[in-house]
Amino acid sequence: MSILSKVKEAVICLRAGRVTLPYPAQPRPTPPNFRGRPIFDASRCIGCAGCANNCPAREILVVDLCQEVRVLQYLGRRCTYCGRCADVCPEKAITMSRDFETATDHVADLGQRLELFMSTCQRCGRCFTPPSALDQLKLKGYRFDDVAHERWVFHSTAYGRDEPVVEDVEIELD
Amino acid sequence: MIAREKLNLFKQKFGPAINRADLTGENRVFVFVEPSALKSVCEHIFRDLDARYVIGIAVDDRPYSGTFLAAHDFAFDRDNILCSVLAHLPADDPRVDSISGVVPAANWAEREMHDLVGLEVVGHPYPKRLVVPDGWPQGVYPLRKDFAWNQAPEGFDEHQEFKFDEPPPGCTVVPFGPFHPTLDEPAHFRLYVEGEFVRGCEYRGFMVHRGIEKLAESVLGYNDIPVMAERICGICGCVHSVTYVQAVESAAGLRPPPRAEFLRTIMLELERLHSHLLWVGLAGHVLGFDTLFMQCFRIREPVMWIAEKITGNRKTYGLCVVGGVRRDLSSELEVELGQVLDRLETQWRTVLGAVLKDRNIRKRTAGVGVADASLVKETGLVGPLARAAGVAIDCRRDHPYAAYGQLDFDVITAGEGDVWSRLVVRAKEVLESIKIIRQCLAKLEDGPIGLKIEDELPVGRLGLSSVEAPRGEAHHFVITGENNRPRRWRVRAPTYQNLQGVPTMIKDQRLADMTISLASIDPCFSCTDRLETIELATGRARSWSHEELIRLARSRQG
């Protein structure tokens, strides 16, 4: 009987009442283990670049300015908040915050830049063992991501041997 | 072992044509055949052995074996076997016989083989471009290994318009899409209409193909891909992520710990819950019954919240990595999940009690968009579409993965094959999902949630995995490779097959039924096209030309 269905449907709506939340007038707290914007703690970071090597969106760039100074730049513009960086970080220097209201009129506001003083040999890779063979931390050597153009310099077999990785920068492939 | 029996059957019939056969595990069969025998082997499997066609895959294997690979995947649903028939093709002349004549479901897959890898599919009944646009230069194949992931080919003409077929005589052309109120994503149907009736259509899609497979095999790593795979689809993201990791695990011979399998199962079913609730709501919306839409979304919201509490996000759970899951389920959340399910069940039963007897909905959907059992077989339709036509296929039961082998649930079917049957099937599957999650919670045991992977994954192994997404079977094909990434990863979303059934479903129907017929397959064009979407809001009221938008996007300033 269709009329009965309509009555039932009306009752469902009336019982439900008003369900809309008064957001954003009242902020809605996120659950404790929410994956929001990652926060980088410069005091803990040892500059291993594991986060950069495992970021699926390639949002974390690492560049060695000289033997002692390594810059780690998080762009934040197409970060998917997957939290892989926080997973692989051996020093727990990255926390996924509960902050998701990141709208801004200037995208650089979302970035974070860490200038790290590297005191020991970067080539020995002494820091720790990677968590698994799949989470490659690639500790050795220098990094020259293209910070000026905000590009990750890929260590990729997609390029032919003789092709330049980035047209205007010359970099040796792995 | 049934897989061996199947292989013996092939060997008896095609003995000399079979070069190599791999049985990897109890329910995976890989048969390498002579290219000339590919068609007859596929026909035998599809017709005589009554297997379901899944997908065709082309692989540029030249750097490794010096050949191209063409593969066709089949599923033996009654025997729990996934089978792949592969043929090595010479690098200088990659020609392969089309099987679309005998296996109509292979139509799109073979066109894609040509578009992306450049295999010449001989004798294809409709050899038109499918994936690449008409302005794409001839002879450039983006999935070949010598094509860089970030390369823009010379001679690409983005202003080239599509070349459409001539409509049949006496028919008017009505364009449907690429932007249409009922489509959330772009796809173009060129409907041939005679009076009020649709007589046929031409489909042009893949407008948002962004080459996520290419990205995976050239840039990303094994554990980067699950979170990217999740972004293939906004609804069944977890499905693609689980399918991918299962394909890799099956290739590498890994078995995740039981607790990880149960957690995957719970999240897959939560995803099905929210997807089915969303779809029933959207179907109501398309029919103009927005009350149902509102109530479905109200009931659905707590599912999103509990998913957020468990995984850290409403959608894109970021749950899977190769060998396990990333987050555990605390005992408090187990209790809360149980309470959410209890409330959901009560509320959903109330809604069902009203909707399933609503004569208006029934009249609007009964007999509309019919896909019968023979169409299901011929076009390889999957999921609620097949089950609504009385074909009881469900990967959860037929090809048990994760923890489904230990759970007890029913496969819901209906007999009419119309939109109403699909609505009934999906509405009732909600209750089955609730049942499954409750069993998972009861059987969940303490233990590790991930394998410790000490060694790099073996190279050159083949892996297949099928997962029952809310819309049907998602199927991934993986060849493991060097540098911590797969050589080839092929994603087949359920909509890829289901869309191929739409032209038949809407034929000789009224034009007004087009929207609900299309909506009833729950089309996911992003899955089909395999993209990531990015929305860009300018905030200012002005109109932008195409070039200006591109320039704006490429200028990369604030």
Side-chain angles (χ1 to χ4, degrees):
Chain A
M1 187 61 190
S2 199
I3 195 79
L4 192 64
S5 273
K6 293 293 165 208
V7 172
K8 280 187 187 169
E9 282 155 12
V11 170
I12 292 171
C13 296
L14 290 172
R15 278 232 186 111
R18 181 171 162 174
V19 291
T20 319
L21 298 172
Y23 179 86
Q26 282 174 26
R28 184 176 160 72
T30 49
N33 56 1
F34 183 76
R35 278 184 286 125
R37 190 164 74 98
I39 302 293
F40 293 74
D41 183 349
S43 66
R44 288 186 163 192
C45 178
I46 55 169
C48 73
C51 51
N53 287 325
N54 286 286
C55 173
R58 308 296 188 222
E59 275 289 86
I60 303 167
L61 311 179
V62 173
V63 62
D64 288 307
L65 295 184
C66 60
Q67 171 81 15
E68 284 85 21
V69 181
R70 168 168 268 199
V71 171
L72 188 142
Q73 187 152 352
Y74 164 71
L75 301 174
R77 45 180 53 173
R78 58 164 191 258
C79 174
T80 59
Y81 300 173
C82 69
R84 287 278 297 147
C85 51
D87 280 4
V88 297
C89 181
E91 297 295 311
K92 305 285 169 235
I94 306 172
T95 41
M96 301 307 285
S97 68
R98 291 165 72 177
D99 181 14
F100 66 97
E101 292 160 318
T102 51
T104 170
D105 57 359
H106 193 240
V107 77
D109 293 350
L110 299 175
Q112 291 167 61
R113 184 184 166 93
L114 272 55
E115 293 186 6
L116 304 161
F117 184 71
M118 309 292 282
S119 56
T120 51
C121 172
Q122 298 169 5
R123 290 180 175 272
C124 70
R126 54 133 199 111
C127 313
F128 48 86
T129 42
S132 101
L134 299 185
D135 307 321
Q136 293 189 352
L137 298 184
K138 294 180 191 152
L139 299 172
K140 295 178 185 175
Y142 294 97
R143 282 288 291 268
F144 298 100
D145 287 342
D146 187 4
V147 176
H149 299 96
E150 299 181 340
R151 281 178 299 191
W152 206 80
V153 174
F154 297 98
H155 300 261
S156 169
T157 49
Y159 301 97
R161 275 282 147 201
D162 307 322
E163 284 176 58
V165 176
V166 181
E167 288 87 27
D168 39 348
V169 191
E170 270 195 30
I171 287 166
E172 235 173 76
L173 291 167
D174 275 354
Chain B
M1 200 163 142
I2 305 171
R4 170 143 328 264
E5 284 170 24
K6 293 276 179 225
L7 187 60
N8 287 342
L9 276 180
F10 300 152
K11 279 188 173 164
Q12 276 168 20
K13 199 161 164 61
F14 300 100
I18 294 179
N19 295 329
R20 187 181 126 195
D22 295 348
L23 296 178
T24 62
E26 284 175 19
N27 33 38
R28 298 284 186 278
V29 185
F30 297 91
V31 191
F32 290 77
V33 301
E34 287 292 327
S36 54
L38 188 67
K39 186 176 175 182
S40 49
V41 173
C42 289
E43 184 178 9
H44 175 65
I45 294 178
F46 186 71
R47 294 289 169 200
D48 305 338
L49 303 180
D50 199 23
R52 180 168 54 82
Y53 183 76
V54 182
I55 191 60
I57 303 122
V59 186
D60 179 7
D61 208 39
R62 288 175 299 169
Y64 316 105
S65 68
T67 57
F68 286 95
L69 263 177
H72 289 288
D73 288 3
F74 293 89
F76 293 93
D77 289 321
R78 282 183 297 278
D79 307 317
N80 179 18
I81 290 173
L82 292 176
C83 167
S84 192
V85 184
L86 304 101
H88 284 286
L89 312 174
D92 49 351
D93 182 28
R95 293 153 71 88
V96 62
D97 285 335
S98 165
I99 66 162
S100 296
V102 289
V103 185
N107 192 314
W108 279 23
E110 291 195 327
R111 286 161 72 187
E112 186 174 328
M113 282 182 180
H114 175 264
D115 281 6
L116 295 182
V117 187
L119 304 190
E120 196 184 329
V121 186
V122 183
H124 192 282
Y126 188 67
K128 203 169 179 177
R129 283 190 170 185
L130 177 74
V131 182
V132 291
D134 284 2
W136 189 264
Q138 288 283 345
V140 177
Y141 303 110
L143 274 187
R144 288 195 173 183
K145 293 287 181 192
D146 50 12
F147 189 94
W149 69 275
N150 59 347
Q151 185 177 334
E154 276 177 38
F156 174 50
D157 177 11
E158 57 187 327
H159 298 288
Q160 170 82 48
E161 289 182 9
F162 283 135
K163 290 182 209 73
F164 291 109
D165 298 344
E166 278 296 307
C171 286
T172 315
V173 168
V174 174
F176 185 89
F179 301 103
H180 190 273
T182 55
L183 299 175
D184 298 324
E185 298 157 74
H188 180 65
F189 288 87
R190 208 170 128 90
L191 303 174
Y192 308 140
V193 177
E194 192 182 2
E196 270 296 298
F197 292 92
V198 179
R199 298 298 183 207
C201 77
E202 183 183 352
Y203 170 79
R204 290 309 295 255
F206 293 83
M207 290 160 192
V208 279
H209 180 83
R210 308 238 341 228
I212 195 167
E213 290 165 355
K214 182 75 184 176
L215 202 64
E217 63 188 46
S218 52
V219 174
L220 300 173
Y222 276 123
N223 268 345
D224 295 342
I225 299 174
V227 289
M228 281 296 155
E230 199 161 59
R231 284 165 174 81
I232 290 174
C233 179
I235 297 293
C236 43
C238 189
V239 166
H240 284 292
S241 149
V242 171
T243 324
Y244 161 76
V245 294
Q246 284 184 0
V248 172
E249 284 160 5
S250 113
L254 305 170
R255 175 92 199 257
R259 189 172 174 88
E261 294 194 323
F262 272 100
L263 291 177
R264 283 180 187 173
T265 311
I266 291 176
M267 291 320 294
L268 286 173
E269 288 307 319
L270 274 180
E271 195 164 70
R272 189 182 324 277
L273 280 179
H274 93 72
S275 173
H276 278 6
L277 295 173
L278 174 130
W279 179 80
V280 174
L282 282 184
H285 175 67
V286 170
L287 296 172
F289 185 23
D290 273 337
T291 308
L292 180 60
F293 173 74
M294 299 291 181
Q295 296 310 318
C296 284
F297 270 62
R298 172 177 65 82
I299 294 170
R300 172 180 179 261
E301 193 59 20
V303 180
M304 311 301 283
W305 287 340
I306 190 74
E308 185 183 36
K309 283 182 183 169
I310 296 172
T311 64
N313 212 335
R314 290 164 63 87
K315 271 309 308 164
T316 52
Y317 304 140
L319 183 75
C320 286
V321 283
V322 174
V325 295
R326 288 169 58 196
R327 284 205 177 174
D328 208 347
L329 181 66
S330 69
S331 49
E332 299 85 50
L333 281 176
E334 279 181 38
V335 177
E336 195 175 335
L337 177 57
Q339 291 162 349
V340 169
L341 293 180
D342 292 344
R343 274 201 303 278
L344 176 69
E345 188 178 8
T346 328
Q347 291 178 332
W348 189 241
R349 281 191 192 281
T350 324
V351 171
L352 280 192
V355 168
L356 291 185
K357 292 206 175 83
D358 191 320
R359 211 185 292 159
N360 298 49
I361 303 181
R362 182 158 196 163
K363 275 193 167 171
R364 184 67 187 80
T365 54
V368 170
V370 178
D372 58 13
S374 78
L375 184 68
V376 169
K377 166 78 180 163
E378 295 302 319
T379 349
L381 306 185
V382 286
L385 221 64
R387 292 194 285 274
V391 182
I393 49 171
D394 188 328
C395 290
R396 293 175 289 173
R397 183 196 61 184
D398 301 332
H399 308 278
Y401 51 92
Y404 286 107
Q406 307 165 46
L407 305 172
D408 174 41
F409 59 95
D410 295 329
V411 175
I412 309 284
T413 54
E416 306 298 321
D418 55 3
V419 178
W420 173 253
S421 306
R422 278 164 224 155
L423 198 139
V424 173
V425 166
R426 294 185 80 141
K428 288 187 179 166
E429 278 183 7
V430 169
L431 301 174
E432 290 302 313
S433 289
I434 295 175
K435 200 164 99 185
I436 290 175
I437 302 178
R438 284 199 182 124
Q439 291 177 46
C440 285
L441 288 176
K443 292 187 178 179
L444 194 61
E445 285 172 10
D446 287 341
I449 57 165
L451 288 178
K452 183 143 180 64
I453 298 176
E454 307 268 357
D455 308 309
E456 298 195 356
L457 299 188
V459 169
R461 303 269 185 93
L462 302 162
L464 301 176
S465 174
S466 279
V467 166
E468 190 70 19
R471 303 176 163 97
E473 174 209 41
H475 179 86
H476 288 206
F477 171 98
V478 164
I479 304 180
T480 58
E482 300 79 2
N483 297 316
N484 199 30
R485 64 174 67 99
R487 271 182 203 165
R488 179 78 168 98
W489 170 44
R490 174 70 161 92
V491 179
R492 203 243 30 208
T495 309
Y496 196 86
Q497 289 305 126
N498 288 350
L499 261 183
Q500 297 182 54
V502 168
T504 315
M505 284 158 56
I506 59 172
K507 195 168 184 308
D508 299 329
Q509 299 238 331
R510 284 180 190 278
L511 183 56
D513 291 337
M514 169 66 191
T515 49
I516 185 62
S517 298
L518 183 59
S520 74
I521 71 163
D522 197 5
C524 182
F525 297 107
S526 58
C527 291
T528 312
D529 299 0
R530 283 147 286 163
L531 89 158
E532 302 164 64
T533 43
I534 294 170
E535 283 183 14
L536 188 138
T538 59
R540 268 184 295 164
R542 62 160 286 192
S543 57
W544 297 80
S545 73
H546 180 68
E547 286 77 18
E548 282 175 322
L549 272 177
I550 295 280
R551 218 168 28 244
L552 178 79
R554 287 184 182 157
S555 68
R556 291 176 159 251
Q557 283 164 6

